[in-house]
Amino acid sequence: MSFEENDDRALREASEWMSRITGGSLSWRDRKALKQWLDADTAHVKAINAVEAEWRKSGRLAAAQAARKPRRDLMALLFEFRGTTRLRVAAAAAISVALAVIVFLHPFRETEIIETAVGETRLVTLPDGSRIRLNTDSRVAVTTDLSDRFATLEKGEAEFTVSHRFWSPFHVDTGTVRIRVTGTHFLVRTEEGRTETYLVNGGIELRDPVSRASLAKLEPGSRAIVGAGGKVDIEKSDGIRETAWINGNLMFDRTPLGDALTEFQRYAPVTVSVKPAELRALKVSGVYHSNDLFGFLETLASLNPVRIIKTSHDKVLVEGLPAPDGHIP
């Protein structure tokens, strides 16, 4: 079979799958067959993405999705029973068992835990081709099945490069916000009820993790900070600071010393104290290697009236010295 014939066949099969996907008629057996078809040849993935792009451009995809009948909620079926209480209880039990089998025993659902130690970064490629790069002291749980891809960033920071699969959205949950995407490149950092997201390219939607209500949609070059209660602050950024850690660096631009030290301590098990406390407000700038805390401290001491005292193998004191005018910074 020639390359042209193989491509034509892949496109025909992709069109057939597209019709079934948008029609909402895929059973679990069909989803298994779809996964096997996609995994069999990279040409199949390219073909279905090409068909999806053509359908989207022509408006056929939107029309098919609009005509698709919404799936019925299984639990809503309980209210259709008009028999005895015993019958309703039996039906509820049967549906609960069925749901348990689907959720917990479904053979195509897989969960992988990915984590890093302090000072470590790690790059993992998922079966669908998506990549997750974890920063220091981070942990993410990734669950995939035949219809969905879901990651829970439990702590730390990660870079996500998600392969485009319109039929299988990718979600990232931090507890503060849920991020929905079909294929894009973005970074997420979560800490103490606060999530920071930077979009490199593509598009993502931020949603409330409980109600799923839309909070905001980001454009490339945007940084969003989501706090408690779903408050969202969005600003433009060139991404240099947000992506510096990927190359092992930290970037500061008139950053308070206290914040800079907090960043460095994410990468090294060292406690840094500052005396007097007002010194933590001192502004620092520059690009430093994330694992070179002492190099940063040496530079700090060379530019400011401070001295560095190593009190133990894992404790350091930054102490302000009187300036010529007698002022301690």
Side-chain angles (χ1 to χ4, degrees):
M1 181 180 295
S2 67
F3 288 114
E4 291 78 6
E5 291 174 333
N6 187 54
D7 288 344
D8 289 343
R9 178 179 177 181
L11 287 171
R12 287 196 302 272
E13 293 174 349
S15 295
E16 294 173 1
W17 278 117
M18 181 69 69
S19 297
R20 297 171 69 181
I21 292 169
T22 56
S25 60
L26 290 184
S27 65
W28 281 109
R29 183 172 297 177
D30 293 331
R31 294 181 185 278
K32 178 183 178 182
L34 172 59
K35 183 177 186 300
Q36 292 173 337
W37 181 77
L38 290 168
D39 292 343
D41 194 332
T42 55
H44 294 169
V45 176
K46 293 179 180 179
I48 201 165
N49 283 334
V51 171
E52 183 262 342
E54 179 59 32
W55 279 38
R56 187 180 298 278
K57 181 179 179 181
S58 66
R60 185 176 176 182
L61 179 61
Q65 291 174 332
R68 178 176 175 175
K69 295 181 179 180
R71 290 179 295 182
R72 301 170 72 190
D73 186 344
L74 283 178
M75 297 310 295
L77 293 176
L78 294 177
F79 297 97
E80 296 182 8
F81 285 93
R82 293 294 183 266
T84 64
T85 300
R86 180 177 298 177
L87 179 58
R88 290 197 296 270
V89 171
I95 292 178
S96 296
V97 170
L99 288 174
V101 170
I102 291 174
V103 173
F104 296 108
L105 300 182
H106 192 272
F108 311 115
R109 178 179 290 270
E110 300 176 347
T111 298
E112 179 181 5
I113 303 297
I114 309 168
E115 55 188 335
T116 54
V118 173
E120 177 189 15
T121 60
R122 182 180 177 189
L123 176 63
V124 175
T125 300
L126 304 181
D128 68 349
S130 298
R131 292 179 297 157
I132 300 177
R133 188 192 309 271
L134 284 186
N135 199 1
T136 176
D137 192 24
S138 300
R139 177 184 171 95
V140 63
V142 182
T143 299
T144 58
D145 58 28
L146 299 181
S147 62
D148 209 357
R149 299 172 292 173
F150 190 86
T152 300
L153 184 60
E154 299 177 0
K155 66 173 182 175
E157 187 170 20
E159 174 197 25
F160 295 88
T161 305
V162 180
S163 62
H164 177 69
R165 290 192 174 185
F166 78 96
W167 67 91
S168 179
F170 196 104
H171 302 273
V172 178
D173 199 327
T174 67
T176 305
V177 67
R178 169 174 282 206
I179 303 167
R180 184 183 187 278
V181 60
T182 53
T184 191
H185 180 195
F186 60 101
L187 294 89
V188 183
R189 176 173 174 175
T190 183
E191 55 185 356
E192 299 177 355
R194 176 181 182 274
T195 296
E196 179 178 326
T197 303
Y198 177 73
L199 179 61
V200 180
N201 57 53
I204 58 178
E205 180 181 18
L206 307 181
R207 295 182 174 183
D208 184 278
V210 178
S211 69
R212 304 293 190 265
S214 179
L215 300 177
K217 292 183 179 180
L218 294 191
E219 297 180 350
S222 297
R223 180 169 71 102
I225 298 176
V226 183
K231 183 178 183 299
V232 183
D233 293 316
I234 300 176
E235 61 184 25
K236 283 293 185 179
S237 173
D238 57 17
I240 296 177
R241 182 186 67 81
E242 290 84 359
T243 60
W245 68 267
I246 296 173
N247 296 315
N249 296 320
L250 294 175
M251 178 181 176
F252 305 120
D253 182 12
R254 294 189 57 77
T255 303
L257 174 61
D259 293 346
L261 291 175
T262 297
E263 280 298 296
F264 270 109
Q265 289 174 100
R266 295 175 62 207
Y267 296 85
V270 177
T271 300
V272 183
S273 302
V274 179
K275 181 181 179 181
E278 292 78 9
L279 185 58
R280 297 180 63 86
L282 177 69
K283 298 297 190 293
V284 297
S285 299
V287 178
Y288 304 89
H289 195 281
S290 57
N291 289 323
D292 190 17
L293 169 62
F294 290 99
F296 167 75
L297 293 177
E298 289 176 3
T299 301
L300 178 70
S302 69
L303 298 175
N304 301 276
V306 301
R307 63 180 175 182
I308 311 302
I309 304 173
K310 190 172 183 180
T311 58
S312 69
H313 73 283
D314 61 352
K315 293 183 179 180
V316 176
L317 172 64
V318 178
E319 185 177 45
L321 299 175
D325 60 2
H327 174 69
I328 297 179

